[in-house]
């Protein structure tokens, strides 16, 4: 059976308010020869029915319903059922530009790259932010540094040659819902994937529409997933990336602060080793988040909790 150029994999979980927007942006692509795999991950709202309706109206859309397993398992389920020469993911609360697939595919074919990255927009209630994803360089070491410490980690702005990861048995890690996409990307680069770049924002991440899609499970579970991610990252990376691993541990620290998951003595016992991390190694964090983490590790955990509460209140009030 002939393969299609592209399989678009959409992990769906309780996104009834935003699915039509994504579907319409995919349905009206300038490139029409593709398939969309809609993986309903045990949604409890009308998302499954919406997926069925769109598939009934457009044969390029295929629906799979399965019990809830989390984002990593759902993305892998889509990969296992994809037939395209290339795959890309789209999240159910986002949307894409009309030439999203066409420009990425043309660059993949013309360059012969195993992965093609494009820029993106972060669209929120207050402002839109442009994400420039141009790698600093295209050698393995530089790409690893970029994917770990600077570039966006998600798979939605990355078209990947399916044969590259299937032949090398690269997959999304099982049982992990935080950082699973970054680990997948790191595996690709470690295996020698060549990378090209399209200097245009073709993907829109909606940072406000669907909180259920981004935060499943308890705060403690998120901390546990974060720690499991760091553990896998440590095993996967070559020597010389201790600074990156430290930074990911700082992400776990911030999750713990947001959740108020520990008392002062527990926090100190668990995270005091990170007080050695230098300020310059706090990657991809806003200044206010850096200050809160630094305060918790160097001055006072209680003060850091207070600072976070102020930050949360200001955001709620739109200040």
């Amino acid at each position: 059976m002939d393969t299609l150029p592209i399989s678009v994999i959409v992990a769906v979980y309780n996104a009834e308010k935003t699915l039509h927007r994504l579907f319409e942006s995919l349905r009206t692509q300038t490139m029409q020869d593709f398939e969309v795999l809609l993986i309903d991950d045990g949604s409890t709202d009308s998302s499954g029915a919406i997926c069925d309706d769109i598939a009934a109206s457009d044969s390029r859309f295929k629906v799979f319903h399965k019990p809830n397993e989390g984002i990593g398992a759902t993305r892998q389920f889509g990969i296992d059922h994809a037939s395209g020469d290339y795959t890309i993911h789209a999240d159910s609360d986002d949307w894409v530009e009309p030439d999203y697939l066409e420009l990425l595919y043309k660059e993949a074919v013309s360059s012969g790259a195993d992965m093609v990255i494009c820029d993106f927009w972060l669209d929120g209630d207050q402002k839109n932010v442009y994400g420039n994803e141009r790698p600093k360089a295209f050698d393995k070491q530089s790409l690893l540094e970029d994917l770990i410490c600077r570039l966006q980690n998600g798979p939605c702005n990355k078209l990947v040659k399916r044969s590259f990861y299937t032949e090398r048995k690269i997959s999304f890690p099982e049982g992990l819902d935080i950082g699973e996409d970054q680990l997948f990307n790191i595996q690709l680069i470690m295996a020698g994937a060549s990378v090209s770049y399209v200097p245009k924002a073709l993907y829109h991440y909606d940072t406000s529409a669907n909180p259920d899609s981004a935060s499943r499970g308890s705060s403690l579970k998120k901390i546990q997933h974060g720690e499991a991610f760091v553990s896998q990252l440590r095993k996967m990376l070559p020597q010389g990336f201790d600074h990156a691993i430290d930074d990911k541990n700082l992400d776990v620290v911030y999750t713990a602060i947001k959740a108020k998951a520990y008392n002062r003595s527990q926090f100190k016992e668990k995270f005091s080793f990170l007080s050695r991390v230098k300020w310059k190694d706090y990657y991809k964090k806003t200044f206010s988040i850096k200050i809160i983490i630094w305060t918790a590790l160097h001055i006072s955990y209680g003060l850091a909790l207070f600072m976070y509460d102020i930050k949360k209140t200001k955001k709620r009030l739109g200040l």
Side-chain angles (χ1 to χ4, degrees):
M1 182 178 70
D2 293 336
T3 60
L4 292 163
I6 298 176
S7 294
V8 182
I9 298 165
V10 182
V12 177
Y13 180 77
N14 287 359
E16 61 185 6
K17 296 179 180 179
T18 57
L19 278 172
H20 285 294
R21 178 178 62 185
L22 173 64
F23 292 167
E24 186 65 16
S25 70
L26 290 171
R27 190 182 63 80
T28 56
Q29 287 291 294
T30 54
M31 176 180 178
Q32 292 285 298
D33 192 16
F34 60 89
E35 67 173 0
V36 180
L37 306 183
L38 307 173
I39 318 300
D40 174 25
D41 186 33
S43 295
T44 57
D45 63 1
S46 63
S47 294
I50 294 172
C51 290
D52 290 335
D53 288 343
I54 189 67
S57 66
D58 191 325
S59 61
R60 296 172 300 176
F61 289 73
K62 303 173 184 178
V63 183
F64 300 84
H65 300 282
K66 68 177 187 64
N68 180 261
E69 297 178 285
I71 186 64
T74 303
R75 293 200 198 282
Q76 187 59 45
F77 184 98
I79 283 177
D80 293 341
H81 291 81
S83 61
D85 293 326
Y86 296 84
T87 64
I88 196 165
H89 299 258
D91 288 341
S92 55
D93 48 358
D94 301 330
W95 74 98
V96 300
E97 289 291 315
D99 51 358
Y100 172 61
L101 298 180
E102 180 182 3
L103 293 184
L104 287 169
Y105 182 70
K106 282 183 176 180
E107 177 61 26
V109 172
S110 63
S111 67
D114 302 306
M115 175 194 291
V116 181
I117 302 173
C118 69
D119 295 341
F120 61 85
W121 283 102
L122 290 176
D123 297 319
D125 291 332
Q126 304 298 322
K127 62 180 179 179
N128 299 331
V129 178
Y130 191 95
N132 187 323
E133 292 290 280
R134 182 188 293 276
K136 292 180 179 178
F138 291 87
D139 61 282
K140 181 187 288 189
Q141 180 77 12
S142 298
L143 287 168
L144 282 174
E145 284 277 1
D146 272 352
L147 285 170
I148 295 166
C149 302
R150 191 176 67 85
L151 298 180
Q152 194 268 352
N153 298 319
C156 300
N157 70 326
K158 299 173 181 68
L159 186 74
V160 181
K161 187 180 295 183
R162 185 165 64 94
S163 62
F164 185 87
Y165 58 75
T166 55
E167 290 171 2
R168 293 159 180 79
K169 302 186 186 310
I170 295 171
S171 61
F172 282 89
E174 294 183 3
L176 192 64
D177 286 342
I178 292 177
E180 81 294 333
D181 43 11
Q182 189 172 39
L183 292 176
F184 183 80
N185 293 331
I186 290 171
Q187 289 180 80
L188 293 172
I189 301 305
M190 290 289 292
S194 57
V195 175
S196 189
Y197 166 71
V198 173
K200 183 177 179 181
L202 301 174
Y203 193 87
H204 292 260
Y205 287 97
D206 191 326
T207 60
S208 61
N210 183 24
D212 279 340
S213 69
S215 57
R216 307 183 202 179
S218 66
S219 297
L220 181 58
K221 184 177 179 181
K222 292 178 191 176
I223 294 170
Q224 292 170 342
H225 276 277
E227 291 174 336
F229 162 71
V230 172
S231 177
Q232 291 198 36
L233 185 65
R234 190 186 303 277
K235 295 175 183 177
M236 188 178 297
L237 287 176
Q239 291 184 347
F241 282 87
D242 289 347
H243 59 294
I245 294 169
D246 285 341
D247 180 68
K248 299 309 174 184
N249 271 318
L250 294 178
D251 290 337
V252 179
V253 169
Y254 191 61
T255 300
I257 291 171
K258 290 194 296 182
K260 299 183 179 178
Y262 304 107
N263 61 37
R264 287 177 176 81
S265 60
Q266 290 170 333
F267 182 87
K268 183 177 181 180
E269 180 180 357
K270 195 171 184 65
F271 297 118
S272 60
F273 75 99
L274 290 170
S275 61
R276 60 176 168 71
V277 180
K278 298 179 180 179
W279 176 265
K280 68 181 179 64
D281 290 330
Y282 284 46
Y283 300 109
K284 287 198 300 186
K285 295 173 179 61
T286 64
F287 181 77
S288 62
I289 291 176
K290 288 181 179 181
I291 285 291
I292 291 170
I293 296 173
W294 182 268
T295 299
L297 293 173
H298 293 270
I299 301 175
S300 167
Y301 175 59
L303 179 58
L305 296 181
F306 178 69
M307 292 168 65
Y308 174 74
D309 286 341
I310 293 175
K311 175 181 171 65
K312 185 169 62 173
T313 299
K314 290 175 66 176
K315 182 177 181 180
R316 185 175 69 250
L317 297 176
L319 301 176

